[in-house]
Amino acid sequence: MDIPVALPLVKRVLLMGTCLCDAIYDDVARATVEVLEHLGLSVEYPAKQTCCGQPAFNSGDWSASRKVARHCAEVFAGDLPVIVPSGSCAAMNRHGNLLQFENSPDPSITSLASRSWEVMDFIFNGLGVKFWPGAFETPTRLAFHRSCHSRGTGTGDAVRALLGSIKNAEIIPFGQSEQCCGFGGTFCVTFPHISGKMGTVKLDHILDAHPDCLVGIDMSCLMHLSGLARVQGRAVPHLHAIQILRNTLQA
Amino acid sequence: MIGKQLIDQFARSLSDERQHLVSAAASAGTVKREQVLHNDYQDLDALRKLAASIKDHTLHHLGDYLAQAEQALVARGAKVHFAVTGEDACQTILSILQNHGVTRLTKSKSMAAEEIHLNPFLIQNGVECLESDLGEFIIQLDNDVPSHIVKPIIHKNRSDVARTFQREKIAEDFNDDPQTLTRRARVFLREKYMQSQACITGANFVCADSGRLLLVTNEGNSRFGMAPVPVHIALVGIEKLIPREKDLAVFLNLLARSATGQQLTVYTEFINGPRAAHQTEGPEHLHVVFMDNGRSKILASNCREILRCLRCGACQNVCPVYRQASGHAYRSIYGGPIGAVLSPLLFSERFPELADLAKASTLCGACNEVCPVDIPIPDLLLRLRDKAQRQRIHSPAAIPMAPFAALATSPVLWRGAMSLSKAMNHLPIQITPLPPARAWFDQRALPAFHGGDFRKWMKARLKNKNRKPED
Ligand code: SF4
């Protein structure tokens, strides 16, 4: 995936809050707004937004997902950067959409692709913020699950650099970190056995490293992992990286 | 509606012991590959992209390179045959063998031969056909199917092998010491080599410029197979061509490292053609059978990138689904990510039945990340899912997406649904009989719904701001 060009003069951005934050993780969307505003940007949230279309796209129902993608491109039309607190929704805008429109390119879809950013990538590579002046009160061990849709993007390095620069934060390594957590959208319910086993393996590796907090850039992975952990009686605190940026500023 | 997914069911039925065997060997393969490649190359991605572009170039001009390779091979004294289908290839090979009066042969590992079930075909036609690769030999003894491209018996442990050897009277007693097992296989196979009249191999590469075939092995079994016989038949998929011998510098370096974490396989054999007048050893006859078997159809499809594949198995090793389900779950000789893409395409008459393979992935992209020829496997899986949907082939585990699309294109309905979602917090959805939710709650808790809360917060924030504008 191409990394979009940096936009040093940007003053306004559009927030694509994701359906998951709309329904469940409202605090992640709030943290995104607060951090971006802290960085001097004004954040607009187009009210007509719904979802990026990924569930239908990944299921192979592209005629359904193209409809959703067109709606999305319309809602986010213009030339402002579109900031997404989710690696997989950002990847949908930047890559998935181009794939499903490869036979009938649509300028609004191409434009959305070129303007979409995963939020941590945006802060680090887009805005050029290379360290984070936050602090934990006590030494805090963070296990960062990079989430698969950030492969080949600037997100992983961005998170490691920004979180790593927070006072008292330590990003701890854990085993088989390249492995997927097993969420995979509808995969987690259509392949319940494999998905559960994958999640359990992931949790084993993460918990072996004794983190104080599990950090991700996709709430979907964290919802799946934390849901499993809770049922297995080994609940673990989990936050989106952007929540950590905000929380450590307040500290 | 949502039914049982075959691959998930297979994984569920696998014993813990088998699953651990596969997963441990696959993980170890991933670690070794990673160490060696990253130690040796600073810009691995550049190398993978170079390899991909050489393959793409070759595939783009495949007709020309095939013609060039044919010419070069003939000039070296080889006979070249073309087979359109798998059956053609089997028949061609059988008639070559019959012409040379061959009734006993050894065969070194070839996925192309597995693909067309060459072994059973030859045996049916009265040719004794012995696998000489140790793993394939054991597969043959057990009447089993390979479950990994590079490590065909990744699903077996040494006591399985020892039991097989005892049962098949290769050994008199049960002994599962790996060295002893290898020694016993060696003694048995050496004798067979000497009795055989021909050798069948695959080829990892065919250089169009020189007409030389490349074979890489770790056991040297193809060398043994070829040494005492007068006839060598190489069965080659047409995608195995590379333009120039010097391109091997790219491919050989990537192949062994990706496959087994070795810098180079133990044996790298260049086949120059049949034995020349001044040479004292080697087969006098070399037959090269170029096989299409669905490849040109794939070349014409929107999944042609899969033809770059070197059959290194790195994508199988790294794949979390493969690690849980094992290769046999994929119902073809190609398991894991490569199989999920290749099988439905290659065995196109079975597409409806194999279309579910493309769904057996979280699209995590680990396969693409390790692939030495940078095949965008997740994209290909998605294109296959789209194709299945367009052909109205519904995999048992499909969740209908039309209602979702209707909701997600109507902001008013969407907002309504978001607000309603909060009501779910008060409903006993954990005990719902709805299959998708059931599948979720069987293993996982769900966080509380906060539908619409962020929108409200954002609105209030905007109002506040408008009231006292920032200074
Ligand atoms: S698809 Fe790539 S990684 Fe998988 S076997 Fe082929 S070359 Fe190796």
Side-chain angles (χ1 to χ4, degrees):
Chain A
M1 258 174 269
D2 296 325
I3 294 175
V5 278
L7 301 160
L9 296 176
V10 68
K11 284 273 177 279
R12 284 164 63 209
V13 297
L14 302 177
L15 171 64
M16 181 174 183
T18 80
C19 56
L20 207 55
C21 291
D22 205 353
I24 296 177
Y25 294 106
D26 53 322
D27 188 57
V28 173
R30 283 205 297 271
T32 308
V33 173
E34 285 165 344
V35 167
L36 292 175
E37 286 185 351
H38 175 82
L39 292 171
L41 300 174
S42 97
V43 183
E44 289 164 32
Y45 181 80
K48 289 188 171 165
Q49 62 182 282
T50 56
C51 168
C52 65
Q54 210 176 165
F57 174 67
N58 286 353
S59 300
D61 191 347
W62 289 11
S63 73
S65 58
R66 280 194 206 104
K67 279 186 207 141
V68 183
R70 274 199 208 93
H71 171 77
C72 187
E74 200 183 295
V75 170
F76 291 97
D79 49 17
L80 294 179
V82 176
I83 311 304
V84 197
S86 152
S88 76
C89 308
M92 181 64 203
N93 284 358
R94 281 165 55 164
H95 181 74
N97 274 348
L98 298 184
L99 195 65
Q100 64 172 338
F101 283 93
E102 65 187 344
N103 293 326
S104 51
D106 176 322
S108 70
I109 294 287
T110 320
S111 158
L112 179 64
S114 67
R115 289 180 287 121
S116 293
W117 292 81
E118 184 282 318
V119 63
M120 298 299 286
D121 185 17
F122 177 70
I123 294 171
F124 188 75
N125 292 309
L127 298 176
V129 176
K130 297 295 176 188
F131 67 94
W132 196 248
F136 283 106
E137 277 171 27
T138 52
T140 306
R141 296 163 62 81
L142 305 173
F144 168 49
H145 170 51
R146 70 169 179 176
S147 287
C148 294
H149 278 100
S150 73
R151 285 180 210 271
T153 74
T155 295
D157 287 343
V159 173
R160 275 182 282 267
L162 288 172
L163 296 192
S165 68
I166 293 172
K167 195 172 158 222
N168 273 334
E170 186 195 349
I171 301 196
I172 52 167
F174 54 86
Q176 300 190 357
S177 60
E178 87 289 348
Q179 289 283 299
C180 171
C181 69
F183 172 69
T186 53
F187 179 89
C188 72
V189 288
T190 49
F191 290 75
H193 175 79
I194 297 177
S195 168
K197 290 285 287 284
M198 283 167 66
T200 303
V201 171
K202 178 105 275 179
L203 278 174
D204 289 346
H205 283 296
I206 289 171
L207 297 180
D208 270 356
H210 303 292
D212 296 309
C213 181
L214 165 60
V215 186
I217 47 121
D218 253 312
M219 291 320 289
S220 50
C221 308
L222 294 185
M223 177 170 77
H224 156 75
L225 284 174
S226 63
L228 277 172
R230 229 168 86 195
V231 168
Q232 295 173 5
R234 45 176 182 169
V236 55
H238 53 282
L239 289 172
H240 190 291
I242 198 75
Q243 291 174 293
I244 299 221
L245 294 192
R246 181 205 50 196
N247 296 357
T248 55
L249 266 184
Q250 291 166 343
Chain B
M1 287 284 288
I2 171 172
K4 294 284 181 213
Q5 236 298 346
L6 289 176
I7 293 189
D8 199 53
Q9 273 181 314
F10 191 95
R12 197 185 290 269
S13 71
L14 211 62
S15 75
D16 281 352
E17 197 200 343
R18 294 287 149 203
Q19 190 269 323
H20 285 312
L21 266 177
V22 171
S23 152
S27 321
T30 300
V31 171
K32 251 171 114 183
R33 172 205 163 270
E34 172 84 12
Q35 278 169 352
V36 172
L37 272 168
H38 284 269
N39 236 334
D40 292 354
Y41 295 105
Q42 272 188 347
D43 196 348
L44 177 56
D45 278 343
L47 191 61
R48 295 192 313 129
K49 293 208 154 65
L50 175 62
S53 68
I54 297 174
K55 275 282 180 185
D56 278 352
H57 164 86
T58 320
L59 292 166
H60 199 77
H61 303 278
L62 193 57
D64 299 337
Y65 282 120
L66 265 175
Q68 195 192 352
E70 182 190 14
Q71 239 181 13
L73 279 160
V74 169
R76 287 188 175 276
K79 293 229 162 54
V80 178
H81 312 256
F82 290 93
V84 177
T85 64
E87 293 91 77
D88 291 348
C90 286
Q91 285 296 349
T92 306
I93 290 174
L94 181 64
S95 59
I96 298 170
L97 294 171
Q98 284 167 344
N99 286 344
H100 288 285
V102 173
T103 55
R104 278 194 309 272
L105 61 83
T106 63
K107 185 171 147 290
S108 79
K109 188 168 169 334
S110 152
M111 288 312 284
E114 290 285 348
E115 180 185 313
I116 61 172
H117 306 291
L118 180 63
N119 254 14
F121 172 81
L122 291 180
I123 291 169
Q124 251 172 37
N125 285 280
V127 182
E128 195 183 302
C129 181
L130 186 78
E131 293 284 352
S132 60
D133 171 270
L134 190 50
E136 293 284 347
F137 172 59
I138 292 157
I139 292 279
Q140 192 181 23
L141 291 175
D142 284 346
N143 214 352
D144 199 355
V145 243
S147 72
H148 188 282
I149 312 181
V150 176
K151 296 167 262 190
I153 53 166
I154 192 172
H155 59 291
K156 294 183 196 287
N157 60 25
R158 56 201 168 109
S159 27
D160 295 332
V161 178
R163 268 193 297 276
T164 300
F165 278 15
Q166 196 180 13
R167 187 192 67 223
E168 297 296 322
K169 313 231 170 353
I170 305 234
E172 271 164 23
D173 59 335
F174 177 93
N175 185 332
D176 67 353
D177 166 52
Q179 274 200 13
T180 312
L181 287 171
T182 318
R183 209 174 310 121
R184 287 174 167 180
R186 189 182 288 168
V187 170
F188 179 85
L189 284 170
R190 293 259 158 117
E191 210 181 298
K192 295 284 180 186
Y193 286 131
M194 300 313 293
Q195 295 162 356
S196 81
Q197 301 153 314
C199 176
I200 297 181
T201 69
N204 294 89
F205 304 98
V206 178
C207 309
D209 61 346
S210 67
R212 284 206 271 197
L213 311 179
L214 253 286
L215 275 173
V216 300
T217 75
N218 273 325
E219 297 169 22
N221 53 311
S222 51
R223 286 163 59 91
F224 271 113
M226 279 183 265
V229 299
V231 184
H232 171 202
I233 303 171
L235 173 64
V236 190
I238 51 175
E239 83 284 17
K240 293 283 153 194
L241 282 174
I242 55 168
R244 303 160 306 181
E245 215 154 65
K246 69 178 176 190
D247 298 321
L248 288 170
V250 175
F251 290 109
L252 285 179
N253 276 315
L254 277 171
L255 178 57
R257 285 179 176 84
S258 303
T260 48
Q262 294 166 288
Q263 283 166 321
L264 207 57
T265 43
V266 178
Y267 297 93
T268 304
E269 295 162 56
F270 288 75
I271 311 292
N272 266 322
R275 182 210 293 191
H278 66 275
Q279 289 171 322
T280 52
E281 275 166 16
E284 298 102 85
H285 306 281
L286 169 62
H287 294 268
V288 178
V289 181
F290 282 113
M291 176 175 80
D292 185 325
N293 200 28
R295 285 159 175 77
S296 36
K297 253 197 218 150
I298 300 179
L299 193 56
S301 78
N302 63 356
C303 293
R304 66 185 64 88
E305 294 96 327
I306 203 65
L307 293 176
R308 295 178 197 157
C309 176
L310 308 181
R311 308 284 190 269
C312 74
C315 60
Q316 300 184 309
N317 287 340
V318 83
C319 177
V321 176
Y322 175 90
R323 288 182 187 182
Q324 290 300 333
S326 87
H328 287 164
Y330 295 78
R331 312 197 296 285
S332 120
I333 52 147
Y334 298 112
I338 171 64
V341 176
L342 196 55
S343 303
L345 290 167
L346 212 48
F347 313 115
S348 57
E349 70 293 346
R350 287 171 65 200
F351 184 75
E353 175 213 333
L354 293 174
D356 69 302
L357 298 187
K359 296 239 169 167
S361 165
T362 60
L363 304 172
C364 78
C367 45
N368 171 236
E369 210 167 59
V370 299
C371 177
V373 281
D374 197 26
I375 300 176
I377 294 177
D379 289 358
L380 302 187
L381 293 171
L382 281 160
R383 288 194 185 120
L384 287 172
R385 292 179 188 187
D386 168 52
K387 181 179 168 186
Q389 178 82 18
R390 278 185 288 111
Q391 296 189 2
R392 304 194 179 283
I393 300 163
H394 290 293
S395 72
I399 297 177
M401 282 297 155
F404 159 77
L407 204 61
T409 47
S410 160
V412 176
L413 284 181
W414 180 269
R415 280 198 295 269
M418 284 299 138
S419 309
L420 272 178
S421 72
K422 268 182 154 171
M424 307 255 265
N425 294 332
H426 310 292
L427 293 175
I429 41 172
Q430 297 88 307
I431 54 165
T432 170
L434 252 164
R438 193 54 282 135
W440 176 273
F441 286 110
D442 270 348
Q443 301 183 73
R444 305 171 195 87
L446 195 65
F449 282 98
H450 292 221
D453 284 5
F454 172 70
R455 289 174 189 260
K456 266 189 225 139
W457 179 85
M458 201 64 191
K459 238 189 213 160
R461 195 176 175 86
L462 196 65
K463 237 191 220 159
N464 258 342
K465 261 197 208 144
N466 289 345
R467 214 176 288 143
K468 39 175 180 132
E470 279 170 279
D471 41 324

